[in-house]
């Protein structure tokens, strides 16, 4: 066998092995048969043992800014929890919630969206807020077993991952998308342009749709009963200090287009300040409470997509999809719908955390076929992976369901209804907004 033939066979073998590793890892992450940290470590081990790519490619996720934003976000979330600032914000909300059931649900959904600006961790927000929402339900007379209690808990649980897609650093899928785009294409996303593009539809419109679906599926009414929640003590020094840290962090995020510092390094700096002695709000030892398994999971996703791209498997998958996907230059509405469909298809097979990794790895192929520029192709997918149909597609929803002791049937009713309505109403509005803002030519 000639050296050239051996090289070709070797290259094909690498592509096949990469495809097998892709199916294995995505399958295990989607089904949860093995803990996600075990699958992540398995990826690193197999990729190196099989020599699928150089070490700098396999471990490129650890060099991604998104990896560090996830880490920093978890520290900030822990600070919100430990200082009691998250609970205080929720109590302040309770005093302003309307005395009607639709207003109560709308207030919880709006608070979920607002909290995502200052607490960039879906799981952290769920852990902090579900017990508070239960207390609010008790205060408003929505006892266990009433549909209004189920609706309130699910509205907050579903809003947390769904609406946070409109805020760049606020959830893992966004960071996976941003990190993969940075690793593969050297594309860097800015906080404010991203927010301006997605918040009107994915934040406000989808929030309104979620409220409507919740009220219709879990109808109830408030009885006029409102128990007094236990009074909170005056704000501690740590809470006031953390409030300043969060205000500065948010201000720097909003102005990143002016000063040029990526959101990741701003979030990481906020986390460091939270951990500094005398200046911060957490003892350094509290870093041990951070679930680093999630960080390793994100790094493994980035490394996997980098290998898929470097071995040529991404291009092969892209060509295969394009053979059946009706993408063609000069048909923006059809291309927009097709790209959303592709993003949702990945959502069913790899969950919301894995879907943007696969889609982004194929974005260059989609761009050439559709005639959209690369940034537009990347942004369209957010409309898709934020449209959740089943609870398993978004781990924060499963966590909210467990903490609130809610049934899978009730949870599925709301996610499926919200997903269908979002596809029929929010997706066309997103297309119009993309066109109006000049994102689509």
């Amino acid at each position: 066998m000639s050296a050239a033939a051996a090289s070709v066979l070797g290259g094909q073998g690498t592509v096949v092995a990469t495809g097998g590793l892709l199916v294995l890892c995505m399958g295990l992450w989607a089904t949860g048969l093995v803990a996600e940290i075990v699958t992540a470590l398995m990826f690193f081990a197999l990729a190196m043992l099989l020599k699928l790519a150089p070490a700098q490619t396999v471990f490129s996720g650890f060099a991604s800014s998104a990896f560090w934003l996830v880490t920093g976000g978890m520290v900030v979330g822990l600070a919100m929890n430990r200082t009691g600032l998250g609970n205080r914000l929720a109590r302040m909300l309770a005093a302003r919630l309307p005395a009607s059931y639709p207003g109560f649900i709308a207030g919880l959904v709006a608070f979920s969206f607002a909290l995502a600006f200052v607490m960039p961790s879906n799981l952290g927000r769920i852990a902090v807020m579900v017990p508070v929402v239960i207390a609010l339900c008790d205060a408003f007379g929505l006892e266990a077993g009433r549909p209004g209690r189920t609706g309130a808990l699910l509205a907050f649980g579903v809003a947390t991952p769904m609406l946070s897609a409109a805020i760049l650093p606020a959830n893992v899928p966004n960071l996976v998308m941003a990190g993969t785009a940075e690793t593969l294409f050297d594309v860097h996303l800015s906080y404010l342009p991203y927010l301006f593009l997605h918040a009107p539809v994915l934040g406000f419109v989808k929030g309104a749709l979620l409220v409507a679906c919740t009220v219709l599926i879990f109808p109830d009414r408030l009885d006029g009963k409102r128990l007094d929640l236990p009074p909170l003590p005056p704000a501690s020094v740590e809470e006031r200090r953390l409030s300043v840290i969060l205000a500065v962090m948010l201000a720097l995020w909003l102005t990143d287009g002016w000063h040029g510092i990526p959101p990741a390094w701003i979030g990481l700096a906020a986390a460091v300040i939270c951990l500094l002695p005398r200046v911060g709000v957490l003892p350094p030892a509290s870093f041990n409470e951070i679930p680093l398994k999630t960080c390793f999971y994100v790094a493994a996703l980035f490394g996997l997509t980098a290998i898929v791209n470097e071995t040529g498997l991404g291009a092969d998958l892209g060509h295969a999809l394009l053979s059946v996907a009706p993408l063609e230059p000069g048909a923006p509405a059809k291309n927009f719908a097709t790209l959303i469909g592709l993003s949702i298809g990945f959502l069913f097979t790899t969950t919301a955390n894995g879907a943007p990794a696969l889609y982004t790895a194929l974005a260059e192929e989609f761009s050439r076929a559709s005639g959209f520029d690369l940034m537009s192709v990347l942004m369209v997918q957010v409309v898709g992976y934020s449209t959740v149909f089943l609870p398993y597609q978004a781990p924060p929803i499963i966590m909210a369901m467990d903490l609130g002791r809610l049934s899978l049937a009730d949870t599925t009713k709301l996610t499926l209804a919200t997903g269908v309505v979002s596809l029929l109403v929010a997706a066309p509005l997103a297309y119009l907004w993309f066109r109006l803002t000049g994102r689509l030519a």
Side-chain angles (χ1 to χ4, degrees):
M1 181 184 298
S2 67
S7 175
V8 170
L9 289 176
Q12 290 175 342
T14 299
V15 172
V16 171
T18 301
L21 185 59
L22 176 67
V23 172
L24 174 65
C25 292
M26 288 299 182
L28 291 176
W29 278 324
T31 59
L33 293 176
V34 176
E36 59 185 28
I37 179 59
V38 176
T39 305
L41 295 175
M42 182 190 304
F43 157 74
F44 291 125
L46 290 178
M48 293 305 296
L49 288 172
L50 297 174
K51 299 181 179 179
L52 299 181
Q56 58 264 34
T57 301
V58 175
F59 297 102
S60 59
F62 291 102
S64 168
S65 61
F67 169 84
W68 294 104
L69 186 53
V70 171
T71 306
M74 288 183 173
V75 174
V76 172
L78 179 63
M80 290 277 286
N81 191 13
R82 291 281 291 271
T83 62
L85 182 59
N87 189 42
R88 182 177 298 278
L89 292 175
R91 296 294 181 85
M92 292 169 60
L93 165 72
R96 293 166 173 78
L97 284 174
S100 68
Y101 177 62
F104 179 69
I105 298 298
L108 291 176
V109 170
F111 183 70
S112 170
F113 184 60
L115 191 60
F117 282 93
V118 295
M119 192 175 183
S121 167
N122 278 340
L123 295 178
R125 293 195 297 278
I126 291 292
V128 169
M129 287 302 304
V130 167
V132 176
V133 174
I134 291 174
L136 291 176
C137 289
D138 290 337
F140 279 87
L142 295 174
E143 297 90 357
R146 286 186 56 166
R149 187 186 187 95
T150 300
L153 288 165
L154 283 179
F156 187 87
V158 173
T160 296
M162 186 175 75
L163 304 188
S164 62
I167 306 167
L168 181 58
N171 67 20
V172 171
N174 286 0
L175 299 179
V176 170
M177 180 266 293
T180 307
E182 178 186 339
T183 300
L184 301 184
F185 312 120
D186 198 29
V187 170
H188 301 273
L189 304 180
S190 296
Y191 185 96
L192 205 54
Y194 182 97
L195 182 68
F196 179 73
L197 181 65
H198 292 299
V201 175
L202 302 189
F204 302 133
V205 172
K206 291 187 75 169
L209 294 175
L210 174 59
V211 171
C213 289
T214 303
V215 172
L216 290 173
I217 296 173
F218 304 104
D220 210 325
R221 60 186 298 273
L222 300 184
D223 302 326
K225 172 186 176 185
R226 184 166 183 167
L227 302 177
D228 291 330
L229 293 171
L232 286 170
S236 65
V237 174
E238 288 77 14
E239 286 180 87
R240 292 196 295 268
R241 199 177 295 158
L242 179 58
S243 297
V244 173
I245 295 171
L246 293 178
V248 173
M249 179 184 74
L250 183 58
L252 290 173
W253 275 346
L254 290 172
T255 56
D256 67 340
W258 173 68
H259 54 66
I261 304 174
W265 312 135
I266 297 168
L268 183 59
V272 171
I273 293 171
C274 286
L275 292 166
L276 286 176
R278 298 185 181 180
V279 177
V281 297
L282 293 172
S286 63
F287 190 79
N288 296 330
E289 301 175 34
I290 300 300
L292 291 177
K293 61 183 181 180
T294 303
C295 303
F296 273 73
Y297 163 61
V298 170
L301 272 175
F302 295 158
L304 180 57
T305 53
I307 292 177
V308 166
N309 183 70
E310 186 169 303
T311 59
L313 177 61
D316 293 342
L317 289 174
H319 291 311
L321 283 174
L322 292 175
S323 66
V324 296
L327 290 173
E328 56 179 291
K334 184 171 74 171
N335 290 338
F336 190 88
T338 300
L339 291 173
I340 290 177
L342 290 169
S343 180
I344 290 175
F346 289 133
L347 189 67
F348 276 94
T349 57
T350 65
T351 76
N353 291 342
L358 281 183
Y359 178 104
T360 304
L362 306 176
E364 220 165 36
E365 299 292 326
F366 296 158
S367 176
R368 281 193 285 267
S370 65
F372 291 166
D373 63 84
L374 180 61
M375 182 63 78
S376 296
V377 171
L378 292 173
M379 292 299 97
V380 171
Q381 70 170 308
V382 184
V383 182
Y385 68 63
S386 66
T387 307
V388 175
F389 291 88
L390 298 173
Y392 83 90
Q393 295 173 328
I397 296 178
I398 296 296
M399 184 177 181
M401 185 180 75
D402 291 341
L403 291 176
R405 298 182 180 179
L406 305 171
S407 70
L408 179 61
D410 283 338
T411 307
T412 303
K413 285 180 189 176
L414 185 59
T415 56
L416 188 58
T418 306
V420 171
V421 172
S422 295
L423 194 60
L424 296 177
V425 177
L429 290 176
Y431 171 73
L432 294 176
W433 182 247
F434 272 52
R435 292 296 300 267
L436 184 63
T437 57
R439 184 64 274 169
L440 297 180

